[in-house]
Amino acid sequence: MSTRDPQSIRISSDLLPRDGRFGCGPSKVRPEQMLALNLAGPRLMGTSHRQAPIKNLVGSIRSGLSQLFGLPDGWEILLGNGGSTVFWDVATFGLIENRSQHLVFGEFSSKFAEAAAAAPHLGEPSVIKTAPGSHPQSVCEDGIDTYALTHNETSTGVMMPLMRPAGSGDALVVVDATSAAGGLLWDPAEVDVYYFAPQKSFASDGGIWFAACSPQAIERIEKISASKRWTPASLDLKIALDNSKANQTYNTPALATLIMLESQVGWMNEIGGLSACNARSQQSSSILYSWAQARSWATPFVADADKRSQVVGTIDIAASADGGVDANDICAALRANGVVDTDSYRKLGRNQLRVGMFPAVDPEDVQALTACIDVVVEALRG
Ligand SMILES: *Cc1c(COP(=O)(O)O)cnc(C)c1O
């Protein structure tokens, strides 16, 4: 049992990562993005979102994202205020026609299922669930018009390949890609709606949602809108669609978020697009997982290596009785040294570290983080 106060542990500065932000959202914002905000500030901040400078900024983000994802003709990037959580409500009004199927394998994937179950205008959703640490498979079911998948379950560090269920016909595949988008690869042929918020792989700030929508998804939005289902205007996808095509939002967006996002999307395309971003996250995650496997007191939480997320790493720490330490003490000691947000997802309730390895995070910094954890654990064990 360790009695050492974690906050008293000093990590020598040559071991520390250059940037100590390893959160899973908000996540590291690159200094270049802060500089872009400073440079663009006087011209863009505090100006109307209905005028050309901000509309051009939104247009540049929309085309930059289309390029990054390699979207086919006819796809549109939609945006609106509220983040991914609000998009679940948006989708219950504007994407699900009657019944949805949800793969639930953690906190975030369960939330959309709950939103659909609570909507009085929808039929009872079908929910396929697995315990945290793995993911279910979607199966085609009669009467399902929307298949809800999660590309990366941020609460558990599980990623899943995106595949249209065989035989699902004109049902939509709607993917929560909040922590995956920009860091993981996907094929637009397998997906109709790929939605996310910019505070994870896009290293910007929260409060806004983006959704890449296929022509079939746009058809669905138009169809539901024509059916005159009651929809609050702020959650109305048809209103969002019309505004987005005009590079606008229904109500005022956070301009600083958009400026930092544009800078990040530009950088991602410059360094080689989605495959280069994916390679960075893959490099970071293989450093983290192979380090954990080489420690007697650390184990990757996700047993199946193929399901281990490349953008959100979860590492179980052995209990002190088994030669480990309290993961909260590790986090406290790291934080006292400027290395922050390595805490596990609280509701998962494990003795665990969780590390954001989005493309903005330098793989060398993940390497440095592992060395810091070694030092901290040694000090804690005394
Ligand atoms: C972070 C996250 C959300 C919630 O995003 P908000 O923008 O905070 O609403 C939803 N789903 C997943 C997979 C996430 O990682």
Side-chain angles (χ1 to χ4, degrees):
M1 193 59 206
S2 148
T3 49
R4 174 118 190 226
D5 173 11
Q7 313 235 22
S8 71
I9 296 171
R10 286 288 151 267
I11 302 171
S12 88
S13 57
D14 56 313
L15 288 181
L16 289 170
R18 271 181 303 174
D19 195 300
R21 291 173 288 181
F22 294 98
C24 293
S27 62
K28 175 186 170 187
V29 179
R30 293 163 53 251
E32 292 82 354
Q33 296 170 264
M34 296 306 300
L35 185 62
L37 183 57
N38 261 318
L39 291 175
R43 193 172 57 83
L44 297 177
M45 290 300 293
T47 75
S48 170
H49 60 300
R50 306 289 179 210
Q51 295 298 328
I54 299 297
K55 289 205 277 185
N56 292 341
L57 173 69
V58 171
S60 159
I61 292 168
R62 292 179 68 234
S63 60
L65 289 171
S66 300
Q67 182 190 337
L68 185 73
F69 296 140
L71 297 181
D73 281 353
W75 281 64
E76 295 281 355
I77 300 283
L78 274 53
L79 67 156
N81 281 315
S84 291
T85 301
V86 167
F87 192 80
W88 293 323
D89 296 326
V90 166
T92 60
F93 279 107
L95 280 178
I96 304 171
E97 226 175 319
N98 183 32
R99 283 192 72 215
S100 48
Q101 180 190 90
H102 300 260
L103 300 191
V104 171
F105 52 110
E107 186 64 18
F108 291 106
S109 44
S110 74
K111 293 258 182 73
F112 186 16
E114 284 164 22
H121 58 276
L122 298 179
E124 192 61 29
S126 159
V127 174
I128 306 178
K129 196 170 172 175
T130 51
S134 186
H135 68 76
Q137 305 286 348
S138 50
V139 283
C140 182
E141 265 184 270
D142 276 352
I144 296 295
D145 58 70
T146 303
Y147 290 86
L149 314 182
T150 302
H151 201 178
N152 186 75
E153 185 36 270
T154 319
S155 65
T156 63
V158 170
M159 63 177 187
M160 68 171 289
L162 301 178
M163 271 172 304
R164 201 176 282 285
S168 58
D170 56 8
L172 299 181
V173 174
V174 174
V175 179
D176 180 351
T178 309
S179 56
L184 300 185
L185 301 174
W186 62 288
D187 177 359
E190 303 291 338
V191 171
D192 294 297
V193 179
Y194 193 77
Y195 64 89
F196 54 94
Q199 74 274 23
K200 301 192 184 186
S201 274
F202 290 100
S204 184
D205 222 342
I208 194 162
W209 57 259
F210 285 81
C213 293
S214 73
Q216 290 71 26
I218 290 164
E219 225 171 82
R220 175 74 64 84
I221 294 168
E222 304 272 9
K223 184 179 171 196
I224 292 178
S225 170
S227 77
K228 302 274 184 256
R229 169 186 286 172
W230 175 76
T231 302
S234 62
L235 303 178
D236 190 323
L237 258 181
K238 170 66 175 152
I239 292 177
L241 170 65
D242 294 344
N243 274 284
S244 302
K245 281 184 178 165
N247 293 326
Q248 298 200 50
T249 45
Y250 176 58
N251 65 316
T252 316
L255 304 184
T257 302
L258 296 174
I259 293 168
M260 291 186 291
L261 171 59
E262 193 217 22
S263 161
Q264 179 73 351
V265 173
W267 174 76
M268 291 164 105
N269 279 322
E270 259 165 49
I271 65 168
L274 195 56
S275 61
C277 293
N278 174 251
R280 257 173 90 81
S281 288
Q282 197 179 3
Q283 193 188 343
S284 291
S285 63
S286 67
I287 291 168
L288 182 76
Y289 294 127
S290 49
W291 161 82
Q293 280 170 316
R295 298 289 170 281
S296 59
W297 42 266
T299 322
F301 168 54
V302 178
D304 180 347
D306 289 340
K307 297 187 172 86
R308 279 177 203 154
S309 172
Q310 292 169 10
V311 283
V312 172
T314 44
I315 304 295
D316 276 347
I317 303 296
S320 45
D322 301 318
V325 296
D326 185 337
N328 292 324
D329 288 346
I330 301 178
C331 294
L334 291 172
R335 180 170 286 277
N337 288 274
V339 177
V340 303
D341 298 337
T342 52
D343 314 71
S344 72
Y345 193 78
R346 196 172 25 89
K347 283 196 198 162
L348 194 58
R350 296 186 73 88
N351 194 43
Q352 186 174 91
L353 302 175
R354 187 175 60 145
V355 179
M357 300 171 291
F358 302 119
V361 172
D362 195 328
E364 280 180 22
D365 280 350
V366 174
Q367 183 83 61
L369 169 66
T370 60
C372 292
I373 299 172
D374 282 343
V375 167
V376 166
V377 169
E378 181 137 328
L380 285 170
R381 289 158 98 191

